[in-house]
Amino acid sequence: MSLDPEPLQPGATIGLLGGGQLAQMLVLAGHAMGFRFMVLEPNPDCPAALAGAEQITASYTDPEALAKLADSCQLVTYEFENVDAEAVSWLEERVDVPQGSEILRIAQNRLREKKTLVRLNIPVAPFQKITTENELSLALKSLGELMLKTVTGGYDGKGQVRISKVEQIPEAFSTLYSTKTEIVAEQFVSFEREVSVIVARNRLGEISCFPVAENVHEKNILTISRIPARLDSRVREQAQLLAKQIAEGLELVGVLAVEMFVLPDGNLVVNELAPRPHNSGHFTLNDCATSQFEQHLKAITNFPLGSTEMYKPAIMLNILGEHLPLLLKRLKDLPPEAKLHLYGKQECRPGRKMGHLNLTADSPESLLENLVKLGIWDEALLYKML
Ligand code: AMP
């Protein structure tokens, strides 16, 4: 009989690679659980430090900084997938890194990610690896309209080009290939909705999913999530089942966001994995028995997972740099139940995530109508959720 792994002791220090808003919200949740935090982050005064984590200000690959993290912490976790997998492997030899470096290697490389999903029998858009213009032209013939993506380094829509005609090939190829990473051509999916599921798994193999979120992006940055997603219960259950299959297949420890496209016939296609808390799960902070941050910490510290029960329909709006100044002037016009989260970032620029707003309502429709009147978020985007 195997012994249950020991829960991390109160007062223990958790190391964080990356000190942005996800790390900040992990710190806030973790303090309530009795843990200390040390963050490795090159930008001084990072949001995690603002929440009380001790900061090592150095690059994510600095050997001295990594050694200090390994020596000072009982376990280490990461808040985004662009940390160096080699650095995480190095840490794994010295300190407990429950998420591990393997899932990071998969999520960092779109080809590896897709091949892994195929191996796990998870539906993905048909794809091909591209190394020459000729291969691209063959892919366009066989797959039709394409979304071209760099295999590594792309996030928030960077490193992506959509093409439908042969004439677009030379420019698309040279734009993406010049970045010196491989390219993957994916069939363009005419989806009806984009959704995501956050799934958690601990070392005992306990698995739990949060409700399915429906997401709208602008310029590939998440703007608004509506929870639960407007889907048949059959499709919702299927989305959660896929997320659980992936969590089991990858032997996940921690939380993982699974982004999916919903096709007009209700079938689902998995687009991307993020092995960490996710922007589309911020509603859980105010609307679920356990937040995604608390759940991640429970999973990596060998605590039983918490309930993911949701109390009311929710809307989450990202507050980007372009929204913040007006929002601060209109605070009194926000619905009284609104929960405002600001990350304390000093520099406010367009497209930068400065905070988010969590709202709950029995009728998301009337809530959205009121949000349109506020004039802070783009009306057309809000109407996509109506
Ligand atoms: P990604 O970086 O893969 O999450 O892509 C960013 C956004 O581009 C997604 O949220 C979709 O809106 C869109 N997108 C990505 N891949 C495809 C695809 N194969 N077909 C249609 N739209 C896509």
Side-chain angles (χ1 to χ4, degrees), residues 110 125 147 149 154-157 160 186-191 194 217 220 259 261 271-272:
R110 287 188 194 271
M147 200 64 145
K149 302 179 180 178
Y155 61 94
D156 282 347
Q160 293 197 13
E186 252 177 60
Q187 189 170 68
F188 186 83
V189 180
S190 297
F191 54 80
E194 289 193 69
H217 299 83
N220 290 310
E259 294 186 42
F261 299 140
N271 177 41
E272 231 185 358

Side-chain angles (χ1 to χ4, degrees), residues 136-150:
L136 183 50
S137 138
L138 291 173
L140 188 61
K141 265 195 207 123
S142 63
L143 301 179
E145 185 167 6
L146 297 174
M147 200 64 145
L148 294 177
K149 302 179 180 178
T150 54

Side-chain angles (χ1 to χ4, degrees), residues 14 22 29 60 79 84 152 165 251 275 320 384:
I14 298 179
L22 298 176
Y60 305 123
E79 63 135 16
D84 186 68
T152 55
K165 299 191 193 85
E251 295 183 19
L320 303 177
K384 284 192 184 171

Side-chain angles (χ1 to χ4, degrees), residues 56-274:
I56 308 170
T57 310
S59 98
Y60 305 123
T61 50
D62 181 314
E64 268 177 44
L66 288 166
K68 180 167 180 200
L69 204 65
D71 291 344
S72 317
C73 300
Q74 279 69 54
L75 67 83
V76 173
T77 185
Y78 42 82
E79 63 135 16
F80 72 141
E81 55 272 26
N82 286 325
V83 288
D84 186 68
E86 287 308 311
V88 177
S89 288
W90 187 90
L91 279 172
E92 262 183 307
E93 302 284 312
R94 288 153 186 87
V95 60
D96 185 14
V97 185
Q99 289 153 289
S101 57
E102 187 50 29
I103 199 165
L104 198 59
R105 275 179 222 282
I106 293 169
Q108 280 176 347
N109 182 302
R110 287 188 194 271
L111 263 175
R112 205 176 289 146
E113 184 174 80
K114 286 185 191 303
K115 286 181 187 164
T116 305
L117 290 169
V118 169
R119 183 171 57 75
L120 298 175
N121 282 324
I122 303 294
V124 296
F127 65 94
Q128 280 173 22
K129 179 179 164 180
I130 302 293
T131 48
T132 62
E133 276 192 34
N134 192 36
E135 281 176 1
L136 183 50
S137 138
L138 291 173
L140 188 61
K141 265 195 207 123
S142 63
L143 301 179
E145 185 167 6
L146 297 174
M147 200 64 145
L148 294 177
K149 302 179 180 178
T150 54
V151 168
T152 55
Y155 61 94
D156 282 347
K158 294 186 184 92
Q160 293 197 13
V161 180
R162 177 176 169 180
I163 64 163
S164 55
K165 299 191 193 85
V166 180
E167 303 83 74
Q168 294 169 300
I169 289 177
E171 194 189 332
F173 185 81
S174 64
T175 310
L176 290 189
Y177 218 69
S178 66
T179 57
K180 300 275 183 283
T181 111
E182 290 176 311
I183 303 176
V184 58
E186 252 177 60
Q187 189 170 68
F188 186 83
V189 180
S190 297
F191 54 80
E192 199 172 69
R193 303 182 195 290
E194 289 193 69
V195 299
S196 55
V197 177
I198 293 171
V199 56
R201 183 177 175 279
N202 65 12
R203 281 186 169 124
L204 287 173
E206 210 189 334
I207 291 198
S208 178
C209 278
F210 285 99
V212 183
E214 177 176 347
N215 306 315
V216 168
H217 299 83
E218 188 186 29
K219 296 187 197 132
N220 290 310
I221 300 174
L222 181 67
T223 313
I224 173 166
S225 296
R226 177 177 172 160
I227 308 98
R230 292 168 295 168
L231 299 173
D232 285 358
S233 57
R234 183 191 66 80
V235 182
R236 248 187 248 166
E237 280 160 23
Q238 180 62 14
Q240 292 183 320
L241 189 68
L242 288 177
K244 285 184 181 170
Q245 282 171 0
I246 297 169
E248 265 164 11
L250 298 179
E251 295 183 19
L252 172 76
V253 178
V255 297
L256 169 80
V258 183
E259 294 186 42
M260 308 178 200
F261 299 140
V262 186
L263 307 184
D265 62 5
N267 281 325
L268 294 161
V269 165
V270 170
N271 177 41
E272 231 185 358
L273 306 178

